[in-house]
Structure formats: structure tokens, C-alpha cells
Amino acid sequence: MVDRVQLQQVFINLMLNAIEAMKDSGGELTVKSERPDGQLQFSVSDTGVGLPTEKMDQIVSAFFTTKPQGSDMGLAISRSIVESHGGRLWAAANDRRGATFHFTLPTGITESSPLVA
């Protein structure tokens, strides 16, 4: 059980970021879901400009952006939403080109994560 409006916001933010990263070169956007280790894992990948590897740990922090017109808050809000559901959000550089944002969600309800249907 999750707040589907909040998770829609996470997906929209990750997909819009991916589309923006590919705006000058075209590319491919891929959304995947898996179920490793008893949790759900979602991935949003693009073949855009990629992410600076030296800033990978900061990429989902508030007030950090790689975009000239970025609001600095989209990924931080997404991370907060995912964490409020008991999950984790992180970024990784792709082997060839682009980046992938992953997030996990637990498949069961825990006492520390009050979720809404």
C-alpha cells in the first residue's frame, strides 16, 4: 500500500528529468520494474548526457542541480517521498551513455512506515 499520487510524482519527475537530459540528442527512455530480495525496484534510464560521477552522491540532495534552470528540489522531493514509504532512491551512470535512477519500495508494511491505500 502506497500513496499513489506521491509515487506518480516520483515517476513523473524522474521521467521528465530523463527526457530533458536527451532533448538535444534524442535517445531512449526505459522504465523497468523488478522484484529482487522481497522488495520492488523501479528504474528510469535514459541515453542522455549522463551525470557527473564526482557529484553522484549529491544528485538527490536539496539545492543541488546539474541543470542551468533547475529548481534544485525535484530529486530531493522524490527521495523524500520514496524514503517516507520505506524505500531508497539513488542514481547511477550507465555504461555507455546516460543515467539510471533507481528506487526501491518494501513489499510489506512496517510499523515505521505508515502508508495510505
Side-chain angles (χ1 to χ4, degrees), residues 39-114:
Q39 56 185 336
L40 297 173
Q41 180 172 315
F42 300 95
S43 303
V44 178
S45 301
D46 66 66
T47 56
V49 296
L51 298 170
T53 54
E54 68 277 2
K55 307 275 185 177
M56 203 64 73
D57 293 340
Q58 297 173 308
I59 204 75
V60 295
S61 299
F63 308 114
F64 179 85
T65 185
T66 59
K67 299 185 244 174
Q69 293 86 19
S71 71
D72 309 338
M73 293 303 294
L75 290 173
I77 291 168
S78 294
R79 184 189 71 196
S80 178
I81 290 169
V82 169
E83 288 176 353
S84 76
H85 286 81
R88 184 171 81 91
L89 171 67
W90 71 96
N94 293 343
D95 287 337
R96 295 185 182 165
R97 192 171 152 196
T100 300
F101 283 83
H102 305 275
F103 70 94
T104 59
L105 295 172
T107 57
I109 298 173
T110 65
E111 288 182 38
S112 63
S113 61

